[in-house]
Amino acid sequence: ILYPRSFAKRGRAFTINLNTSYNDRTGEAYVNTFQRSFATGGFDDTLSNRFTDQANNTFQVSANITYSEPLGQNSQLQFSYNPRIAKSKSDQQTFEQDPLDNKYSLFRPNLSNVLENTTTAQNGGLSYRWGDRDRMISFGVNYQNTNLESNQTYPFPVTVNKSFSNVLPNAMIRYKLSTRSNLRLFYRTSVNEPSVTQLQSVIDIANAPVYRIGNVNLNTQYTQFGSFQYTYTNPTKGLLLVGNLFYQTANDYI
């Protein structure tokens, strides 16, 4: 749902955008493993057949509210506020094949897990922009508070409730050097929360012998991204030259 509102003063505007999403994913996996162990007296073969039933769903509601105020003919100040809440649930059950009747009836609790996760984020910021057709500069800063609440009910109860506060600066410069060349500088920071499957502390053996396991104590990932771009065009000669330089770093990388 989008509601825009303009005012008599040119450049003054108010916008509110409401979004919701629901993701439901189910799956079944069969893993058949053959293992041969070598010893002095020969070797020993072991067969293992497993069935995993997976169900994951996520429901999210968010809003994006912005207000723009002109400060002059070529400058503008913008306020933004972005609240968001997401609820996720993951249920994984694994069964071993019974060699007596070949049915997947032997429950494996060490490979099963039930987890619910709630993520609440509040993001607000202020940005300034100045520019015309040939030159533009903008910079701003946002503040985000994120709360992660995870409740594991199986195979053993685990509760994690953590809050994170991050300052997220951003900047951009676009400058026209000539009629044929221009450059662009861009800097952005962002926060990424772990998904419910990344928090789920259950062993994933689907790609054995490479094993994966989630971590209920994961933190939010803080990413910084910067880029530099130079562009030169010569239509009469059909020439286009583009040079790019990128930089990215992440703390608490997931």
Side-chain angles (χ1 to χ4, degrees):
I1 300 176
L2 174 64
Y3 173 75
R5 170 71 187 275
S6 58
F7 299 89
K9 187 175 182 179
R10 184 178 181 181
R12 179 180 293 173
F14 172 81
T15 302
I16 179 170
N17 191 4
L18 303 177
N19 296 280
T20 181
S21 64
Y22 179 74
N23 186 306
D24 187 23
R25 184 175 61 183
T26 58
E28 297 178 347
Y30 290 89
V31 179
N32 302 322
T33 303
F34 171 78
Q35 180 174 307
R36 170 165 289 181
S37 302
F38 293 90
T40 305
F43 53 84
D44 180 37
D45 293 340
T46 303
L47 294 175
S48 176
N49 299 326
R50 287 182 293 269
F51 164 73
T52 301
D53 186 16
Q54 298 173 324
N56 302 316
N57 63 76
T58 301
F59 176 71
Q60 178 174 290
V61 178
S62 64
N64 188 17
I65 303 171
T66 60
Y67 174 77
S68 302
E69 179 66 26
L71 301 180
Q73 184 176 358
N74 298 320
S75 60
Q76 187 182 61
L77 196 65
Q78 179 173 286
F79 303 86
S80 64
Y81 175 58
N82 177 222
R84 174 170 51 88
I85 183 171
K87 291 182 176 290
S88 304
K89 184 177 181 179
S90 179
D91 188 348
Q92 176 170 308
Q93 299 183 21
T94 303
F95 299 87
E96 193 87 20
Q97 188 179 46
D98 192 339
L100 299 178
D101 56 8
N102 292 328
K103 293 183 179 180
Y104 293 91
S105 56
L106 303 178
F107 184 63
R108 293 289 301 272
N110 60 320
L111 300 177
S112 303
N113 184 272
V114 178
L115 175 72
E116 293 185 2
N117 181 64
T118 302
T119 301
T120 306
Q122 307 282 340
N123 185 308
L126 177 68
S127 62
Y128 172 80
R129 185 181 66 179
W130 177 91
D132 52 26
R133 213 172 197 186
D134 299 330
R135 296 165 295 175
M136 191 189 77
I137 180 172
S138 68
F139 55 87
V141 62
N142 284 48
Y143 174 81
Q144 177 167 320
N145 179 267
T146 307
N147 178 261
L148 296 179
E149 182 179 354
S150 301
N151 294 299
Q152 177 180 283
T153 57
Y154 190 86
F156 48 85
V158 176
T159 300
V160 176
N161 194 330
K162 298 186 292 185
S163 293
F164 305 91
S165 297
N166 299 100
V167 178
L168 307 172
N170 63 85
M172 186 183 72
I173 298 175
R174 189 184 72 237
Y175 190 81
K176 186 176 181 180
L177 300 173
S178 66
T179 56
R180 296 180 177 178
S181 62
N182 63 80
L183 59 85
R184 184 174 181 265
L185 295 171
F186 181 78
Y187 174 74
R188 180 184 64 190
T189 55
S190 62
V191 173
N192 180 37
E193 300 90 10
S195 66
V196 64
T197 53
Q198 292 167 336
L199 294 168
Q200 190 179 34
S201 56
V202 60
I203 299 176
D204 183 1
I205 58 175
N207 193 29
V210 178
Y211 300 98
R212 299 177 58 187
I213 186 171
N215 183 4
V216 75
N217 293 310
L218 284 176
N219 297 329
T220 56
Q221 175 181 311
Y222 183 84
T223 303
Q224 299 184 74
F225 176 81
S227 68
F228 170 84
Q229 182 184 79
Y230 172 80
T231 305
Y232 174 83
T233 57
N234 190 336
T236 58
K237 295 183 178 182
L239 179 63
L240 172 64
L241 175 65
V242 180
N244 291 290
L245 182 64
F246 302 97
Y247 171 80
Q248 181 170 312
T249 181
N251 297 335
D252 294 319
Y253 178 75
I254 301 175

